[in-house]
Amino acid sequence: MKKNKILAANWKLNKTPQQTREFFKNFFEIDQKFTTAVAKGLQFVFFPSAFCLDQTQKSLSGITHVGFGPQNVYSQESGAFTGENSLTVALEMGATYVLVGHSERRQLFAESESLLAEKIKLSNKHKMKTIFCIGETLQERESNQTSTVLKKQLQSALQNLVTDKTQNFSPENLIIAYEPVWAIGTGKVATKDQVAEAHAFIHSVLQELGCAQSPILYGGSVKADNAKELSLISHVDGFLVGGASLDAKTFLDIAEAMI
Ligand code: PGA
């Protein structure tokens, strides 16, 4: 493994607290795989559903190299926002990461680019590590708009934050996840060339924004059998995994392929 990589799990709306507890029990027991992976510098991150954050915190107590956080928080800390999740509550529960802008939030819950920019502003204020998801739809890729879309998603979320000095933006807390929408949960993984091209482009936009050190994860149908090849690509600093993160052994097999 060239430099420290990140392996993040997005459990979406799966697992109960009990299933969360069982997952971590297995995760720390299977063949020393966890210990080997962290010894080689791998950083794990878990995004359980909000009701499982408490059990996640308990299961991870005393463990290093594993972070966790919510899959979504609102752009305001508190107030009359029925049904929303608060970043400050997540912080008090021990979360150090937050996921922002997943394509399911953008598409199913109509989260706009301006709302996502507000969310990143808030997570920056609290110095939370933010995994910000970007990615093009199939239609956008087929009409050659991939770069335009990726650049727009990055700029609309970050431009004001990096230029407004009063925000004290910390690029070291920003992680980008490139997730082509057509590759999420479909079994259709992007090709090596598509990933290499997109990650190099994202890196160049991040450089322009003064965020050159931000790691860039790939997400979309990552499995143990494609993780090795993908992790060797330049500017691929780890993965955000959905389906294959739900089972401890399958997830650890990905970790093993990366190190
Ligand atoms: P997938 O999901 O690994 O099941 O494709 C990735 C994601 O939604 O983050």
Side-chain angles (χ1 to χ4, degrees):
M1 196 163 73
K2 284 177 290 179
K3 63 173 175 175
N4 290 2
K5 297 213 174 198
I6 299 168
L7 180 56
N10 174 13
W11 285 349
K12 310 190 180 188
L13 197 50
N14 296 299
K15 293 198 190 297
T16 64
Q18 190 180 327
Q19 289 166 336
T20 300
R21 194 169 56 80
E22 280 159 14
F23 174 95
F24 284 115
K25 193 171 172 293
N26 291 335
F27 183 74
F28 293 124
E29 277 174 3
I30 297 173
D31 300 337
Q32 298 279 309
K33 286 189 185 198
F34 168 73
T35 322
T36 310
V38 296
K40 298 222 172 164
L42 197 65
Q43 166 74 38
F44 288 92
V45 185
F46 288 91
F47 293 106
S49 66
F51 289 146
C52 293
L53 283 171
D54 186 45
Q55 179 57 52
T56 301
Q57 190 268 331
K58 289 185 181 122
S59 295
L60 295 179
S61 144
I63 310 266
T64 54
H65 300 284
V66 187
F68 72 95
Q71 299 164 7
N72 171 46
V73 286
Y74 194 52
S75 56
Q76 306 295 315
E77 291 164 24
S78 61
F81 305 107
T82 303
E84 283 294 337
N85 292 316
S86 165
L87 182 137
T88 45
V89 172
L91 270 172
E92 199 175 304
M93 294 173 88
T96 50
Y97 284 80
V98 60
L99 195 60
V100 175
H102 190 278
S103 66
E104 285 149 21
R105 297 299 314 170
R106 294 177 191 257
Q107 295 192 333
L108 304 176
F109 301 96
E111 294 202 356
S112 67
E113 294 193 327
S114 58
L115 177 66
L116 299 178
E118 288 299 311
K119 292 185 178 199
I120 294 186
K121 193 168 137 189
L122 183 68
S123 65
N124 177 65
K125 178 180 158 198
H126 290 282
K127 307 267 175 274
M128 271 199 127
K129 290 198 178 290
T130 306
I131 301 189
F132 176 56
C133 303
I134 59 171
E136 80 287 357
T137 61
L138 187 59
Q139 196 203 359
E140 287 162 345
R141 174 161 285 273
E142 285 175 346
S143 54
N144 290 323
Q145 288 174 53
T146 301
S147 315
T148 315
V149 169
L150 297 178
K151 189 167 188 166
K152 187 165 163 287
Q153 289 174 338
L154 286 169
Q155 283 180 332
S156 62
L158 302 171
Q159 189 78 65
N160 288 346
L161 199 55
V162 298
T163 47
D164 179 354
K165 295 295 168 218
T166 65
Q167 299 295 328
N168 293 320
F169 176 57
S170 320
E172 65 277 11
N173 288 331
L174 176 74
I175 299 156
I176 302 299
Y178 169 58
E179 298 204 306
V181 178
W182 47 271
I184 296 177
T186 57
K188 270 190 219 160
V189 66
T191 67
K192 217 174 132 196
D193 288 349
Q194 286 170 328
V195 175
E197 193 185 356
H199 279 240
F201 177 73
I202 292 165
H203 180 69
S204 71
V205 178
L206 289 172
Q207 251 172 337
E208 283 165 27
L209 288 164
C211 309
Q213 74 265 55
S214 293
I216 309 169
L217 314 184
Y218 169 77
S221 299
V222 174
K223 309 227 163 12
D225 58 10
N226 54 32
K228 189 172 186 72
E229 182 179 57
L230 291 169
S231 71
L232 293 173
I233 299 170
S234 177
H235 300 302
V236 172
D237 302 308
F239 300 121
L240 177 59
V241 184
S245 72
L246 291 169
D247 175 75
K249 182 177 178 314
T250 314
F251 194 48
L252 284 164
D253 285 344
I254 297 176
E256 205 169 33
M258 291 169 74
I259 57 179

